[in-house]
């Protein structure tokens, strides 16, 4: 069958012909997983995985955690052993940036001018660290944390007695601050909002994390208006609007991420704060799928579209794209989830707190084992944020998926097991 024609399965014409050329742009968590799944689902045709970074697909979560603390090496980061790609006949093109796409001609153009033809394209270009217009950003000693190279540079700047200033009190900033403390470096977190994690977690969680970090020596300046990074030839301090200068040896700017959608946008694909896709990871072009951090995807549980930045989402969408290309049934949508590790804390979050009428704290935050449940007006769990509370996370995730209402008084009562709450 020729790519694009109706398949014998009678599906929509997107099922891959055996000889179809698949090109994946972005050799990150999503792109690497999609390549592997295509093989796992039986596709034997040519797959080319093009990545701008010099490394085969690797995991980013350890970059701010175990890897920054020196507890993981490059092998531990790798998604799969280096030999895997040759064994599976997946052609890796590393250090290769795709600069343009031609949807009509079905080609992508690499930096340097080489063109790759495709029958099916998967865009997995991820996201990049958000840059804010700030005087002094260009000084040596100013870091961002998205890639292994970023993490290596930051690691070099940490160590006993060094002072790290983190601009942005989100997950990456807090994880980096915890890692800095583990290395006996000092850390100050500077946040514009009046609380940490303001965009991504509830107030109870913000307060808990602030106290936990403060007790371990992290300093905070909240509601701060950062005016500039200052220093003679390198970053030596962060100047605030009130005139204070917070001295430091290095600055990490961790103020969120933006989707790498420009390539898709320039080619004419529908984008809206991420490349728009459906639940099969299909874009507005019938020959192009998109997956991972670069997409804006439907969340049927909430009747909304959203851009998610998480490993579980990258894996789910890789599965959607590979299943679609191989003519398999559409995978059932998963409940979105995410985790963060800081010190001895394992934070697990499932769902999204849309349409919340009631918030219930189960357990006592001072014990560092508790969960916050967000319920809609019908007492259905919309989201759960669990700190060192795996049973609450697991049951919460299940309840988010099955939409069964819960009894708030049982949920609040630690003497009632989560099994009973969910029954
Ligand atoms: C420090 C850090 C910690 C994190 N911790 C967690 C965590 O604890 N839990 C969790 O669930 N998630 C975490 N995440 C998020 C998670 O890593 C991402 O959601 C995941 O990596 C997304 O995968 P992706 O393949 O979509 O994007 P990426 O992994 O970013 O991969 C995209 C790749 O595409 C390449 N690329 C982009 N444009 C082009 C182009 N034009 N040509 C060629 N290549 C291109 C990029 O260089 C990159 O290598 C963390 C992220 C970071 C940075």
């Amino acid at each position: 069958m020729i790519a694009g024609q109706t398949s014998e399965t009678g599906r929509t014409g997107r099922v891959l012909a055996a000889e179809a050329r698949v090109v994946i742009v972005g050799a990150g968590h999503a792109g690497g997983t999609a390549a592997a799944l295509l093989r796992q689902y039986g596709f034997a045709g040519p797959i080319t995985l093009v990545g701008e970074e010099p490394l085969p697909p690797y995991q980013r979560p350890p970059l701010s955690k175990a890897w920054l603390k020196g507890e993981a090496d490059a092998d531990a980061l790798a998604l799969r052993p280096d030999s895997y790609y040759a064994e599976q006949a997946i052609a890796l093109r590393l250090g290769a940036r795709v600069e343009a796409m031609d949807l009509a001609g079905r080609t992508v153009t690499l930096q340097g001018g080489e063109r790759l033809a495709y029958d099916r394209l998967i865009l997995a270009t991820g996201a990049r660290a958000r840059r804010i217009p700030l005087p002094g950003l260009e000084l040596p000693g100013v870091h961002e944390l998205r890639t292994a190279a970023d993490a290596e540079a930051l690691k070099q700047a940490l160590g006993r007695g060094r002072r790290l200033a983190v601009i942005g009190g989100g997950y990456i900033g807090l994880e980096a601050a915890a890692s800095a403390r583990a290395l006996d470096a000092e850390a100050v977190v500077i946040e514009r909002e009046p609380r940490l994690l303001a965009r991504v977690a509830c107030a109870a969680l913000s307060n808990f994390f602030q106290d936990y970090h403060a007790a371990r020596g992290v300093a905070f300046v909240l509601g701060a208006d950062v005016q500039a990074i200052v220093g003679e030839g390198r970053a030596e301090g962060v100047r605030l609007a009130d005139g204070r200068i917070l001295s430091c040896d290095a600055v990490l700017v961790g103020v969120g991420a933006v989707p790498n959608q420009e390539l898709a946008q320039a080619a004419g694909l529908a984008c809206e704060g991420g490349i728009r896709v459906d639940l099969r990871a299909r874009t507005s072009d019938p020959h192009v799928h998109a997956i991972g951090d670069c997409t804006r995807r439907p969340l049927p549980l909430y009747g909304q579209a959203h851009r998610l930045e998480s490993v579980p989402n990258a894996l789910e969408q890789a599965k959607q794209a590979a299943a679609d290309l191989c003519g398999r049934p559409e995978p059932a949508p998963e409940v979105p989830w995410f985790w963060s590790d800081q010190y001895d804390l394992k934070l697990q979050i499932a769902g999204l707190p849309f349409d919340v009428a009631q918030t219930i704290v189960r357990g006592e935050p001072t014990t560092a084992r508790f969960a916050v449940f967000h319920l809609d007006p019908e007492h259905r769990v919309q989201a759960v944020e669990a700190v060192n509370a795996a049973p609450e996370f697991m049951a919460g995730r299940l309840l988010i998926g099955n939409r069964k209402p819960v009894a708030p008084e049982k949920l609040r009562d630690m003497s009632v097991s989560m099994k009973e709450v969910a029954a």
Side-chain angles (χ1 to χ4, degrees), residues 18 78 137 174 216 274:
L137 261 192
L174 290 180
R216 281 147 191 84

Side-chain angles (χ1 to χ4, degrees), residues 24-32 50-53 55 58-65 93 96-100 110 124-128 145-147 171-172 175 260 263 291-295 308-314 317 337-341:
I24 303 174
V25 181
H29 219 120
V50 188
E52 181 183 13
E53 293 183 69
L55 300 173
Y58 63 90
Q59 313 172 61
R60 291 177 206 280
L63 296 181
S64 46
K65 312 175 182 82
R93 298 289 305 265
R97 179 174 172 75
V98 171
E99 298 230 292
L110 304 185
T125 48
R128 60 184 181 274
L145 184 47
R146 180 75 201 178
T147 65
Y171 287 118
I172 287 181
E175 288 175 356
N260 290 324
L263 195 62
I291 57 179
D293 281 15
C294 65
T295 67
L308 301 177
E309 288 170 18
S310 73
V311 165
N313 176 63
Q317 288 189 294
W337 71 279
F338 178 81
W339 79 91
S340 172
D341 298 325

Side-chain angles (χ1 to χ4, degrees), residues 376-395:
D376 75 2
E378 278 80 49
H379 294 175
R380 294 175 305 196
V381 180
Q382 295 289 80
V384 58
E385 297 162 304
V387 175
N388 291 342
E392 277 73 10
F393 168 72
M394 311 261 272

Side-chain angles (χ1 to χ4, degrees), residues 33-336:
T33 304
L37 285 174
L38 284 170
R39 288 289 183 249
Q40 197 179 312
Y41 294 168
F43 174 63
I47 301 176
T48 306
L49 184 54
V50 188
E52 181 183 13
E53 293 183 69
L55 300 173
Y58 63 90
Q59 313 172 61
R60 291 177 206 280
L63 296 181
S64 46
K65 312 175 182 82
W67 202 84
L68 201 53
K69 288 187 278 183
E71 292 170 359
D73 59 14
D75 284 349
L77 283 190
L79 212 53
R80 293 191 166 71
D82 285 1
S83 56
Y84 170 85
Y85 301 93
E87 282 161 18
Q88 294 293 323
I90 295 168
L92 271 184
R93 298 289 305 265
L94 300 178
R97 179 174 172 75
V98 171
E99 298 230 292
M101 296 162 43
D102 173 4
L103 296 179
R106 286 193 221 155
T107 60
V108 296
T109 306
L110 304 185
Q111 192 171 30
E114 185 187 350
R115 278 190 192 182
L116 301 179
Y118 66 82
D119 296 298
R120 292 293 184 273
L121 184 68
I122 301 179
L123 292 174
T125 48
R128 60 184 181 274
R130 183 189 299 280
R131 301 223 167 112
I132 43 175
L134 200 61
L137 261 192
E138 70 297 340
L139 285 170
V142 179
H143 300 263
E144 57 186 31
L145 184 47
R146 180 75 201 178
T147 65
D150 295 339
E152 178 59 34
L154 181 60
K155 192 155 116 182
Q156 298 303 324
L158 299 178
R160 185 179 292 270
R162 307 301 298 272
R163 293 161 306 172
L164 175 69
V166 179
I167 299 177
Y171 287 118
I172 287 181
L174 290 180
E175 288 175 356
S179 299
R181 294 300 297 137
L183 293 168
D184 276 337
E186 292 175 24
V188 56
V189 175
I190 306 159
E191 167 60 50
R192 186 185 57 185
E193 301 297 325
R195 67 177 176 96
L196 301 172
L197 303 170
R199 276 186 317 116
V200 287
C202 68
L205 219 69
S206 301
N207 295 338
F208 168 77
F209 274 102
Q210 186 178 340
D211 291 348
Y212 209 83
H213 276 268
R216 281 147 191 84
V218 176
F220 291 97
V221 185
L222 303 180
D225 183 358
V226 174
Q227 293 238 306
I229 298 167
V230 295
E232 288 293 319
R234 59 170 298 109
E236 292 170 340
V238 176
R239 194 176 69 225
L240 306 182
D242 61 12
R244 266 183 296 171
I245 293 183
L246 307 170
S247 305
C248 62
D249 303 300
V251 178
L252 170 63
V253 184
V255 291
V258 290
N260 290 324
Q261 63 174 20
E262 291 76 6
L263 195 62
Q265 213 160 16
L269 291 179
C271 295
E272 193 188 356
I275 305 167
R276 271 180 37 196
V277 290
D278 65 13
L279 286 174
R280 294 172 186 221
R282 295 172 173 184
T283 68
S284 54
D285 182 282
H287 298 94
V288 184
H289 288 73
I291 57 179
D293 281 15
C294 65
T295 67
R296 182 178 176 82
R297 54 159 292 171
L299 291 172
L301 271 174
Y302 302 99
Q304 304 207 20
H306 219 67
R307 195 171 74 77
L308 301 177
E309 288 170 18
S310 73
V311 165
N313 176 63
L315 300 179
E316 183 189 3
Q317 288 189 294
K319 212 185 295 172
Q320 290 172 352
D324 195 39
L325 288 171
C326 294
R328 294 166 73 104
E330 181 181 313
E334 295 170 15
V335 173

